């Protein structure tokens, strides 16, 4: 998975994040406004990549880069 592919998934799932998705951006509150956004994003990621990102694990990611690294490590 490329970072650009992740960025496309994020902005398609959370339109308000457009222009905010950078590797060092904080997942909450920069990209996801709240926990509902993170749940929607984890479901979209599983649909698009096949990689399960449990909600409790999603809550531990600080930056978009943390999420990207996890997805790459798990075969996305």
């Amino acid at each position: 998975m490329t970072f650009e592919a992740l960025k496309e998934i994020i902005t398609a799932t959370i339109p308000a994040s457009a222009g905010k998705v950078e590797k060092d951006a904080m997942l909450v509150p920069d990209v996801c406004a709240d926990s509902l956004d993170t749940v929607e994003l984890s479901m979209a990621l599983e649909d698009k990549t096949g990689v399960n990102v449990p909600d409790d694990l999603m809550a531990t990611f600080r930056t978009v880069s943390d999420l990207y690294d996890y997805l790459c490590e798990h075969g996305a």
Side-chain angles (χ1 to χ4, degrees):
M1 162 173 269
T2 66
F3 182 76
E4 288 303 314
L6 174 59
K7 190 173 183 175
E8 287 177 23
I9 294 169
I10 293 172
T11 56
T13 306
I14 307 165
S17 69
K20 299 177 185 178
V21 182
E22 300 297 331
K23 285 187 177 183
D24 61 345
M26 299 298 287
L27 214 55
V28 176
D30 295 341
V31 175
C32 297
D34 54 30
S35 59
L36 181 58
D37 285 342
T38 60
V39 169
E40 290 177 7
L41 181 56
S42 67
M43 291 185 325
L45 289 167
E46 186 170 359
D47 287 346
K48 300 287 184 183
T49 67
V51 175
N52 181 28
V53 185
D55 296 337
D56 58 335
L57 180 61
M58 188 78 167
T60 68
F61 298 134
R62 294 193 47 146
T63 65
V64 175
S65 184
D66 294 338
L67 176 59
Y68 176 72
D69 292 344
Y70 174 85
L71 291 169
C72 289
E73 289 169 7
H74 289 85

